[in-house]
């Protein structure tokens, strides 16, 4: 029981950080330069999603943030349940859904580490840049995978950002970001420094967790930025001079 309070406190600290970023984060992901990325993600998800007969695909966006992936899933014809632990992020997602005139998206306030969906609730589950911020990423995987029905598919796009942030901090580098303040970046790094997942060898760790949950098949793309057509200039890194870049990966698992 000793780790419950520290994990709870860390989660609240992370929630506060992302809530404070909600408006800026939403604006960042709505930038026109992401149009090509949306197209690439739409093609990737279309290729990975299962096929069902005579009804829309039931999709879970686990950690939806401002709704970036939820809107893509809706464009692909899915009925979407979008979950996030930040009410401020969900408010931004609601605005973005309304602005896009999208339908079939339900927004739910919940912690992806403690999902209560019944088994078989979804055919498809997607998460993007979420598990790296969680005190218990394995619990998130377990809850998401449990909510899938037989033949369901989970797709996670993530990177070990925390490891890169830690490496930059250890090298004495000041964190930089195009839209965040120095204070926000210091808080981000302080949160990441305490996350167990930053010490994992990813995506090998992710694949092992999913196989342990009973996945029938797990596929992994290590450097997914090239697959998605992300130019070197747009690639996210903690700090170039720290010598460690957080490479985006894609892990997909079939139940």
């Amino acid at each position: 029981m000793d780790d419950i309070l520290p994990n709870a406190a860390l989660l609240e600290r992370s929630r506060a950080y992302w809530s404070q970023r909600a408006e800026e984060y939403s604006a960042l992901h709505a930038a026109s330069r992401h149009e090509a990325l949306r197209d690439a993600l739409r093609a990737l998800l279309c290729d990975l999603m299962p096929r069902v007969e005579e009804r829309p695909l039931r999709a879970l966006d686990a950690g939806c943030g401002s709704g970036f992936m939820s809107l893509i899933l809706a464009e692909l014809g899915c009925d979407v349940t979008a979950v996030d632990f930040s009410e401020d992020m969900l408010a931004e997602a609601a605005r973005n859904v309304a602005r896009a005139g999208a339908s079939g998206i339900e927004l739910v306030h919940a912690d992806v580490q403690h999902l209560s969906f019944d088994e078989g609730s979804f055919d498809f589950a997607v998460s993007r840049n979420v598990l790296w911020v969680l005190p218990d990423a394995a619990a998130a995987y377990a809850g998401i995978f449990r909510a899938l029905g037989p033949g369901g598919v989970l797709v996670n796009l993530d990177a070990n950002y925390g490891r890169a942030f830690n490496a930059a901090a250890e090298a004495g580098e000041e964190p930089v970001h195009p839209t965040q303040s120095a204070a926000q970046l210091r808080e981000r790094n302080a949160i990441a420094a305490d996350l167990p997942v930053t010490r994992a060898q990813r995506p090998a760790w992710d694949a092992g967790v999913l196989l342990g949950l009973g996945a029938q098949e797990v596929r992994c793309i290590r450097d997914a930025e090239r697959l998605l057509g992300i130019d070197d200039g747009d690639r996210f890194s903690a700090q170039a001079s720290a010598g460690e870049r957080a490479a985006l990966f894609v892990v997909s698992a079939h139940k």
Side-chain angles (χ1 to χ4, degrees):
M1 300 291 288
D2 290 343
D3 64 339
I4 292 178
L5 286 178
N7 275 2
L10 192 56
L11 182 67
E12 286 307 309
R13 192 172 181 180
S14 183
R15 190 201 314 272
Y17 166 79
W18 289 102
S19 293
Q20 199 246 358
R21 281 197 65 192
E23 186 175 353
E24 164 261 325
Y25 185 84
S26 180
L28 180 67
H29 284 74
S32 60
R33 72 183 179 90
H34 285 298
E35 203 57 52
L37 176 59
R38 285 193 187 93
D39 290 342
L41 288 169
R42 192 180 297 110
L44 175 69
L45 295 183
C46 188
D47 184 55
L48 294 174
M49 65 172 48
R51 302 291 182 260
V52 297
E53 298 292 334
E54 300 180 353
R55 63 170 174 82
L57 206 68
R58 300 166 302 168
L60 171 66
D61 184 359
C64 66
S66 57
F68 184 77
M69 296 296 286
S70 301
L71 288 168
I72 294 173
L73 289 167
E75 289 169 4
L76 290 171
C78 300
D79 283 341
V80 184
T81 300
V83 171
D84 203 272
F85 71 167
S86 166
E87 291 183 292
D88 294 280
M89 280 291 189
L90 287 171
E92 289 296 328
R95 280 188 279 271
N96 290 330
V97 168
R99 188 178 296 117
S103 60
I105 300 177
E106 179 186 8
L107 301 173
V108 177
H109 182 226
D111 174 7
V112 298
Q113 298 168 118
H114 300 98
L115 294 176
S116 58
F117 298 112
D118 293 335
E119 184 172 0
S121 295
F122 302 102
D123 310 297
F124 194 37
V126 174
S127 186
R128 176 174 178 260
N129 291 344
V130 174
L131 269 68
W132 77 271
V133 308
L134 300 178
D136 195 346
Y141 264 137
I144 297 167
F145 197 73
R146 183 185 63 248
L148 291 172
V153 177
L154 183 159
V155 177
N156 183 28
L157 299 93
D158 205 1
N160 205 341
Y161 298 119
R163 177 185 286 270
F165 297 153
N166 291 345
E170 289 170 7
E173 301 292 339
E174 287 295 322
V176 295
H177 190 275
T179 58
Q180 290 190 73
S181 69
Q184 285 176 320
L185 293 174
R186 285 193 293 270
E187 175 65 0
R188 178 204 69 186
N189 284 9
I191 293 168
D194 289 332
L195 293 173
V197 73
T198 65
R199 296 185 284 277
Q201 294 294 329
R202 306 185 71 191
W205 175 85
D206 301 72
V209 169
L210 290 165
L211 287 169
L213 291 170
Q216 298 299 309
E217 178 182 82
V218 176
R219 296 180 180 179
C220 179
I221 303 168
R222 284 187 176 272
D223 194 350
E225 289 139 332
R226 297 191 186 281
L227 172 70
L228 296 172
I230 301 174
D231 295 332
D232 288 346
D234 287 332
R235 291 188 178 202
F236 186 87
S237 67
Q239 188 84 21
S241 56
E244 180 155 354
R245 181 175 63 82
L248 181 71
F249 61 80
V250 177
V251 174
S252 63
H254 292 245
K255 188 169 183 178

